[in-house]
Amino acid sequence: MVPRKNAGRASPFLLILLSFGFFLGTYNLLILVMHKASKSATGELTDPIISRPGDLAGGGAPKFHVALTATDAPYSKWQCRVMYYWYKKMKDEPGSDMGGFTRVLHSGSPDNLMDEIPTVVTDPLPEGLDRGYIVLNRPWAFVQWLEKATIEEDYILMAEPDHVFVNPLPNLAHGDHPAAFPFFYIKPSDHEKIIRKYYPEEKGPVTNVDPIGNSPVIIKKSILEKIAPTWMNVSLRMKDDPETDKAFGWVLEMYGYAVASALHGVRHILRKDFMLQPPWDLDIGKKFIIHYTYGCDYNMKGELTYGKIGEWRFDKRSHLRGPPPKNISLPPPGVPESVIRLVMAVNEASANLPDWETP
Ligand SMILES: *[C@@H]1O[C@H](CO)[C@@H](O)[C@H](O)[C@H]1NC(C)=O
Ligand SMILES: *[C@@H]1O[C@H](CO)[C@@H](O)[C@H](O)[C@H]1NC(C)=O
């Protein structure tokens, strides 16, 4: 027989069959891809989502509402004033997708900033439920605010008082995928045993829990509406469990959000450029938010003396009872740009805001 000859001379019919098969194969593949894509749209991806730098020029994406959770403590108030000042400066710059702004004031009654900053007052948790851990009020504040407010934008940025916008912020979320800043100290995989108390095995691997907190996060409002009650629930249960409370300490409520969002099958786009944290991050570059949670201590040679009070210092915790003075002296030469820019940002706000000294 001559099978080789036959095989080499494919009949047109076979060709048609083959290409039909190929077409079917491609079609199946297409269905598969579409299926995967729609899966990813509901957030059921198992791989971490790595963002593509440069694909988000900003401006033109759906706008997001800036939600700043805060209390009426003097410490919170001066930070909110600086925060809102820089929001107003950046909002209409090219590249910004920033929409409206709300300070979600979760201390239960209006304060003296109601006329300066758009504010919605929400109730704190019932007496004692927060066990002195004030930030547990955040999820409860979001639950209440989302329920009672009419928010024009479809996306929300969850922000905090110690955030300063240093570049116009685009909407970093992609459709149903929220965007978050990855914190190096949030490591769900290092706490598998504890995470499993709240994120059962049938939900998937612990690596589904993103290394994030609730802020900064840009997220679709409709998705946050689902996550917020779970976030509150999980955080309260975590606080109630001595082992969890001890392991997570002051970042417990961040784990609360990370676990709650994972329970809803939501994975975040991790954006390292979302935020910079002086004194550790040195340059502003194209990053968007300065988070001044760490004290900045330097000697006069411009050397970091972290953990030791420096000859020059800026630390938000030095100003618990009222605002820092106007015109804080700039740091000595050699101090990184991030620290200089932070002090300049606070100085500019304090110079321009009325009655700065009023606590
Ligand atoms: C909160 O958790 C409890 C169980 O601890 C559950 O019964 C309740 O439905 C949860 N509520 C929400 C809003 O997730
Ligand atoms: C701020 O302080 C510097 C000295 O540190 C001084 O030279 C400058 O005039 C002050 N600016 C204002 C607006 O007070």
Side-chain angles (χ1 to χ4, degrees), residues 62-262:
K63 290 208 183 304
F64 57 86
H65 195 95
V66 180
L68 170 63
T69 45
T71 73
D72 61 3
Y75 178 61
S76 180
K77 285 200 280 191
W78 68 260
Q79 293 174 41
C80 286
R81 297 187 78 190
V82 175
M83 202 280 183
Y84 185 58
Y85 176 89
W86 283 98
Y87 154 80
K88 284 202 291 188
K89 280 203 80 158
M90 293 297 167
K91 180 180 185 293
D92 297 321
E93 291 295 312
S96 156
D97 292 317
M98 301 156 101
F101 188 105
T102 301
R103 180 176 63 137
V104 184
L105 181 62
H106 55 70
S107 31
S109 43
D111 64 6
N112 60 341
L113 294 180
M114 305 300 289
D115 293 334
E116 181 173 317
I117 309 176
T119 300
V120 167
V121 177
T122 61
D123 290 328
L125 287 168
E127 187 83 32
L129 209 54
D130 67 0
R131 295 162 197 267
Y133 184 58
I134 294 283
V135 293
L136 274 192
N137 285 288
R138 277 182 199 150
W140 178 219
F142 275 108
V143 170
Q144 295 171 74
W145 174 60
L146 289 167
E147 208 157 89
K148 71 170 150 187
T150 310
I151 306 150
E152 196 180 309
E153 298 82 1
D154 286 334
Y155 288 83
I156 287 164
L157 163 69
M158 293 187 273
E160 286 172 16
D162 58 355
H163 288 173
V164 170
F165 294 108
V166 285
N167 275 308
L169 180 59
N171 186 349
L172 304 175
H174 263 290
D176 283 353
H177 282 303
F181 176 79
F183 287 90
F184 71 88
Y185 52 80
I186 302 292
K187 294 178 175 163
S189 304
D190 288 3
H191 299 282
E192 173 137 21
K193 184 169 158 264
I194 291 176
I195 295 285
R196 280 300 184 210
K197 292 185 182 186
Y198 312 93
Y199 188 75
E201 230 157 274
E202 63 264 26
K203 286 284 181 179
V206 164
T207 48
N208 281 355
V209 181
D210 291 326
I212 60 169
N214 80 293
S215 179
V217 163
I218 300 178
I219 185 167
K220 231 183 198 174
K221 185 171 58 188
S222 55
I223 297 176
L224 183 58
E225 278 165 352
K226 291 188 190 123
I227 294 174
T230 313
W231 172 26
M232 170 167 157
N233 208 340
V234 169
S235 305
L236 288 173
R237 278 162 55 208
M238 284 179 166
K239 190 70 192 164
D240 240 3
D241 179 66
E243 191 191 11
T244 310
D245 193 22
K246 183 155 175 267
F248 291 166
W250 63 278
V251 296
L252 179 141
E253 154 273 2
M254 296 174 74
Y255 275 104
Y257 175 81
V259 167
S261 53

Side-chain angles (χ1 to χ4, degrees), residues 204-319:
V206 164
T207 48
N208 281 355
V209 181
D210 291 326
I212 60 169
N214 80 293
S215 179
V217 163
I218 300 178
I219 185 167
K220 231 183 198 174
K221 185 171 58 188
S222 55
I223 297 176
L224 183 58
E225 278 165 352
K226 291 188 190 123
I227 294 174
T230 313
W231 172 26
M232 170 167 157
N233 208 340
V234 169
S235 305
L236 288 173
R237 278 162 55 208
M238 284 179 166
K239 190 70 192 164
D240 240 3
D241 179 66
E243 191 191 11
T244 310
D245 193 22
K246 183 155 175 267
F248 291 166
W250 63 278
V251 296
L252 179 141
E253 154 273 2
M254 296 174 74
Y255 275 104
Y257 175 81
V259 167
S261 53
L263 284 171
H264 287 275
V266 174
R267 300 301 306 271
H268 295 69
I269 302 164
L270 303 178
R271 294 284 301 225
K272 279 193 168 164
D273 58 345
F274 210 149
M275 209 160 73
L276 69 145
Q277 310 194 85
W280 310 116
D281 298 310
L282 309 181
D283 308 310
I284 307 278
K286 291 184 173 161
K287 301 191 184 92
F288 301 106
I289 295 172
I290 288 183
H291 180 216
Y292 54 102
T293 192
Y294 299 102
C296 299
D297 287 275
Y298 290 88
N299 63 25
M300 284 308 169
K301 286 185 267 179
E303 295 161 343
L304 186 66
T305 64
Y306 190 77
K308 239 179 69 189
I309 293 185
E311 293 167 86
W312 183 93
R313 75 177 327 213
F314 178 76
D315 186 340
K316 66 173 183 175
R317 290 177 188 81
S318 311
H319 309 284

